[in-house]
Amino acid sequence: MKILVSNDDGVNALGIRTLSRVLAEFAEVVTVAPDRNRSGASHSLTLEVPLRADKLDDSGFYSVKGTPTDCVHWAVNGLLDPDPDMVVAGINHGANLGDDVIYSGTVAAATEGRHLGLPSVAISLCGDRYFETAAHYACLLVQGLLRAPLASNQILNVNVPDLPLEEIQGIKVTRLGNRHRCDAVLKEYDPRGRPIYWIGPPGAIQDAGEGTDFDAVERGYVSITPLTIDMTAYAQMAALTSWIKEVE
């Protein structure tokens, strides 16, 4: 099988290098990733300037001056023929739990793969030490998805505790937790006295109850959350239709 690997931490990040190496033990791997860290890029596309892509000395590695979504889009629609069999995004340096999935470029890379018709997985390490542990579970999931493919409108968001493999407690299928409102934007001044602003840290955890991704990782389990790409709130359609009729 052929696997397209991407991320948002950049083509030289330890996480993506570890993932590509381990997947290459049983699959053909092509790695297409941003030339620098693009964490928080979400599902953005570069439309105002052309993309530039360079093949690196490493076999199968491409560096793109663009976003994670650009990377997957260009790889599938401009580089690879035939298409890859699967997209695996990661290993992200840090968790993508709860509300993080809204902003994550790693999750967006997987989402773009799904939009292009490919089974896709986003995998994150909740720390920065045990990338081999995360790569182990990435391999298990890729091989499992060959036997039990995902629905055509879903991806998997996987978060692995930053622990040695022997300390992982198992795997939990979870729902997204959520955080409180994020902290205030930080205002500072540049050397010329002009105001500058830094996005503050994420809010504290609000919902980390049983069954959430936060809870699973805290207890040493790998969290796997199926995400639906179709964002339609079907349960609200009838109520909204009724309300609209009242105001027409």
Side-chain angles (χ1 to χ4, degrees):
M1 66 182 304
K2 179 186 289 186
I3 299 175
L4 171 62
V5 172
S6 193
N7 73 348
D8 68 1
D9 292 304
V11 71
N12 292 311
L14 178 58
I16 198 170
R17 294 283 170 160
T18 303
L19 178 63
S20 297
R21 172 176 52 79
V22 174
L23 290 177
E25 293 176 4
F26 65 89
E28 178 186 353
V29 175
V30 178
T31 303
V32 182
D35 64 331
R36 63 190 187 280
N37 191 316
R38 297 302 301 265
S39 296
S42 188
H43 207 124
S44 56
L45 278 172
T46 300
L47 300 177
E48 296 298 320
V49 295
L51 296 178
R52 297 184 183 275
D54 297 306
K55 190 176 189 305
L56 304 184
D57 291 339
D58 309 72
S59 177
F61 276 77
Y62 294 83
S63 172
V64 177
K65 290 180 173 61
T67 68
T69 302
D70 290 331
C71 293
V72 175
H73 191 89
W74 172 72
V76 175
N77 289 324
L79 173 66
L80 303 177
D81 186 17
D83 288 348
D85 299 294
M86 187 179 297
V87 174
V88 182
I91 300 167
N92 193 67
H93 290 224
N96 276 311
L97 299 163
D99 314 65
D100 301 342
V101 302
I102 300 170
Y103 307 101
S104 168
T106 296
V107 174
T111 302
E112 182 66 12
R114 183 73 275 182
H115 278 312
L116 297 173
L118 304 173
S120 300
V121 177
I123 185 160
S124 303
L125 179 67
C126 301
D128 59 6
R129 294 182 65 192
Y130 293 100
F131 288 101
E132 295 288 346
T133 301
H136 170 81
Y137 282 98
C139 291
L140 290 182
L141 289 172
V142 166
Q143 293 168 343
L145 288 173
L146 294 176
R147 300 189 296 270
L150 286 171
S152 60
N153 65 340
Q154 295 177 7
I155 66 169
L156 295 183
N157 183 48
V158 183
N159 283 276
V160 181
D162 195 17
L163 296 170
L165 183 58
E166 61 272 16
E167 294 183 20
I168 298 292
Q169 299 301 303
I171 299 174
K172 295 284 188 182
V173 176
T174 61
R175 64 178 175 86
L176 295 177
N178 60 64
R179 301 179 186 274
H180 288 283
R181 178 173 170 170
C182 61
D183 290 353
V185 169
L186 304 176
K187 183 178 181 180
E188 296 180 353
Y189 294 90
D190 69 14
R192 297 186 179 183
R194 295 173 298 193
I196 57 175
Y197 302 90
W198 294 95
I199 299 297
I205 298 171
Q206 181 176 38
D207 178 8
E210 185 176 355
T212 64
D213 47 3
F214 286 109
D215 178 64
V217 168
E218 177 66 24
R219 294 193 292 124
Y221 288 88
V222 175
S223 164
I224 302 179
T225 306
L227 302 181
T228 302
I229 303 306
D230 180 356
M231 293 187 287
T232 305
Y234 290 99
Q236 299 301 317
M237 291 182 69
L240 181 59
T241 300
S242 176
W243 179 82
I244 292 297
K245 287 181 178 179
E246 293 177 1
V247 299
E248 277 185 316

